[in-house]
Amino acid sequence: MMTPMIPPILDFATGKLGGAELVEKSTTLADLQGLFADPRAEAALSPDTPLYRVAMLPGNGGEGDLNMGVTHLEAGMIGNEFFMTRGHIHARAEQAEYYFGLCGRGLLLLQDMAGVCRLEQVFPGSVHHIPGHVAHRLVNTGETQLSALAVWPAIAGHDYRLMAERGFGLRVVAGKEGEPCVVSSEVSVSIT
Ligand code: F6R
Ligand code: ZN
């Protein structure tokens, strides 16, 4: 009898991908220079500080194919601002994406092209539909690594320039008790 193949394996409790040769990309503080609000706090940390790592299954990248990858975002802060991903909109901006929370706790920051922001809580089992034309960024507000699975069209690509120019309208910072607060220009709102 033909032996069925063993496919790649995702450990949903830890986000660890295995059983396939992975494509991995690590991002350090140096890669995100100037992204966080407090330059002095940023300068106090080593530029080699690891912030996040994306492990992807290799795809063929063609029209109609899907990519899948797990983002592991470390817990920590630059000043009082929680660690976050760079954030992007897709190069093919109309292409949507799904995120699934696996472990840890955080927020998904979404911003449409009119600059309207919203946040979704990310936790084990959370499901997030990111429509086309919406920029997205993960923020780790917890004390442990935040891991989230993403599935998106291979043709979507990443446009990092647009959000580098526009910036996200919200920042997520720790309040007096360490609770996540959303800062929008000068207004600060507790979200716990
Ligand atoms: C893919 C996607 C995620 C992110 C990852 C890292 O479209 O949204 O896999 O690429 O969370 O974030 P960025 O790409 O903003 O550095
Ligand atoms: Zn994306």
Side-chain angles (χ1 to χ4, degrees):
M1 194 189 99
M2 193 181 75
T3 312
M5 75 164 276
I6 300 173
I9 298 164
L10 171 63
D11 181 341
F12 281 84
T14 63
K16 192 172 164 37
L17 264 178
E21 222 163 276
L22 303 176
V23 180
E24 298 216 51
K25 187 184 169 207
S26 294
T27 300
T28 63
L29 186 54
D31 297 317
L32 301 185
Q33 218 187 0
L35 198 78
F36 292 89
D38 184 344
R40 279 210 298 197
E42 185 183 317
L45 286 175
S46 163
D48 297 331
T49 304
L51 290 201
Y52 59 98
R53 180 171 63 84
V54 180
M56 277 178 68
L57 290 182
N60 64 26
E63 174 91 30
D65 197 17
L66 293 172
N67 286 339
M68 84 84 94
V70 179
T71 301
H72 301 282
L73 175 59
E74 300 297 333
M77 281 189 277
I78 311 289
N80 68 349
E81 192 172 10
F82 290 105
F83 280 5
M84 59 190 178
T85 58
R86 186 192 299 275
H88 63 271
I89 187 140
H90 294 150
R92 287 274 303 267
E94 80 287 358
Q95 299 289 313
E97 180 162 12
Y98 265 105
Y99 276 16
F100 306 88
L102 298 174
C103 59
R105 295 210 161 246
L107 294 167
L108 173 61
L109 173 56
L110 300 163
Q111 180 167 315
D112 71 16
M113 286 304 96
V116 178
C117 290
R118 65 195 175 83
L119 289 158
E120 292 183 1
Q121 293 189 36
V122 183
F123 51 87
S126 62
V127 176
H128 309 269
H129 177 249
I130 302 168
H133 302 282
V134 172
H136 39 288
R137 156 181 286 168
L138 282 170
V139 184
N140 188 348
T141 58
E143 285 166 11
T144 57
Q145 193 172 70
L146 173 70
S147 299
L149 167 66
V151 180
W152 71 100
I155 56 161
H158 293 88
D159 177 352
Y160 292 107
R161 216 183 51 190
L162 187 75
M163 294 316 290
E165 285 165 6
R166 291 189 183 183
F168 283 81
L170 296 181
R171 290 184 180 277
V172 186
V173 299
K176 282 201 181 80
E177 314 284 319
E179 78 284 8
C181 295
V182 177
V183 184
S184 165
S185 29
E186 277 112 75
V187 189
S188 163
V189 187
S190 173
I191 55 163
T192 51

